[in-house]
Amino acid sequence: ITVVEAGAPEGTYTDYWRTNRGNPAQVTMPDALGSYELRYVIQQSGRTLASRPITLEAVSAVLEAPDTASAGSVVGINWEGPDNPQDYITVVEAGAPEGTYTDYWRTNRGNPAQVTMPDGLGSYELRYVIQQSGRTLASRPITLETVSAQLLAPSEIPAGSVVEVQWQGPDNPQDYITVVEAGAPEGTYTDYWRTNRGSPAQVTVPDALGNFELRYVLNQSGRTLASLPVTLTPVSASLAAPETIVPGGQF
């Protein structure tokens, strides 16, 4: 069983349902308007054994969300729409070509959609996209605004120790606190603490000496949102024990 444009040549098909899968058939209509036909087709010859006209009508969608959001944050988007198989909600730069997408939410996952905004600033669009054709059924502007973070920790830290880092920041999915050498390239990390684990972060600093940085990093882009210089200082140890012990004994 398939659906085609009215009067299409024999053997033409779009989405189809094998009759051995049972009755009723479940056929996805094209993303188009106007006169079409449902057809029962004999596989062996491609001959149409039965047909029935069907008219495809316009469909619409609506998106509701804040006018502004923090860059990199997760935004809840209430939506209404056809919920066709694999339709999705996404966010793109304003005016981006049809079919463009970043993070997305399949409509079959429920309402509201939860979409992660890009780590960027300025004018963007939320879009309801029909998966079959990539067509935008509804769009809504959203402005992404700057976001900041703060870190608080001792200025001197014993090398190799665990330091508590008080932090404030957006707590976007998978953001983290880490420690790196001073001036290390963006995206560098050693031991890290995901911000969703709470504050204070518990970070193990390297067993090294000198100038380092604690960093709040946006996981999405690897961008450092805040940094705090720290110095790793020497540590020492001492041992005390008897000069002589009994063989096999404890001391």
Side-chain angles (χ1 to χ4, degrees), residues 38-39 52 56 62 64 83 89 95 104 109 119 127 130 151 157 161 164 172 181-182 185-186 194 208 242:
L38 299 171
R39 290 180 177 177
R52 184 188 191 289
L56 302 188
V62 177
E64 294 181 358
D83 192 18
I89 315 294
Y104 61 87
R109 293 178 62 190
D119 176 24
R127 291 181 176 176
I130 295 177
L151 301 173
I157 305 169
S161 65
E164 286 194 351
N172 300 319
E181 290 189 35
E186 289 282 75
R194 295 288 186 194

Side-chain angles (χ1 to χ4, degrees), residues 15-26:
D15 188 58
Y16 61 86
W17 176 277
R18 295 289 186 193
T19 56
N20 62 9
R21 293 176 64 190
N23 197 339
Q26 302 288 330

Side-chain angles (χ1 to χ4, degrees), residues 62-243:
V62 177
L63 301 175
E64 294 181 358
D67 293 328
T68 62
S70 298
S73 65
V74 177
V75 173
I77 306 164
N78 290 300
W79 60 269
E80 295 179 9
D83 192 18
N84 301 317
Q86 302 297 300
D87 285 0
Y88 61 92
I89 315 294
T90 191
V91 59
V92 297
E93 289 189 34
E98 288 283 74
T100 304
Y101 64 91
T102 59
D103 188 56
Y104 61 87
W105 175 278
R106 296 288 186 195
T107 57
N108 61 10
R109 293 178 62 190
N111 202 340
Q114 301 289 330
V115 179
T116 301
M117 299 296 103
D119 176 24
L121 302 178
S123 300
Y124 284 76
E125 291 178 47
L126 303 172
R127 291 181 176 176
Y128 183 114
V129 181
I130 295 177
Q131 168 70 23
Q132 184 186 112
S133 62
R135 179 167 68 93
T136 299
L137 192 57
S139 68
R140 185 184 196 294
I142 189 168
T143 301
L144 302 188
E145 300 179 330
T146 189
V147 65
S148 62
Q150 292 182 327
L151 301 173
L152 180 63
S155 59
E156 295 188 350
I157 305 169
S161 65
V162 176
V163 61
E164 286 194 351
V165 186
Q166 302 282 346
W167 63 267
Q168 293 179 349
D171 191 19
N172 300 319
Q174 302 297 302
D175 285 359
Y176 60 92
I177 314 296
T178 192
V179 59
V180 298
E181 290 189 35
E186 289 282 75
T188 305
Y189 63 92
T190 59
D191 187 55
Y192 61 87
W193 174 277
R194 295 288 186 194
T195 57
N196 62 10
R197 296 176 64 189
S199 181
Q202 304 282 334
V203 179
T204 301
V205 301
D207 180 20
L209 302 178
N211 297 321
F212 284 75
E213 293 177 47
L214 296 168
R215 291 180 176 177
Y216 184 113
V217 181
L218 297 172
N219 186 68
Q220 183 186 118
S221 62
R223 180 167 68 92
T224 299
L225 194 58
S227 67
L228 181 69
V230 295
T231 302
L232 303 191
T233 58
V235 294
S236 62
S238 62
L239 299 174
E243 293 184 1

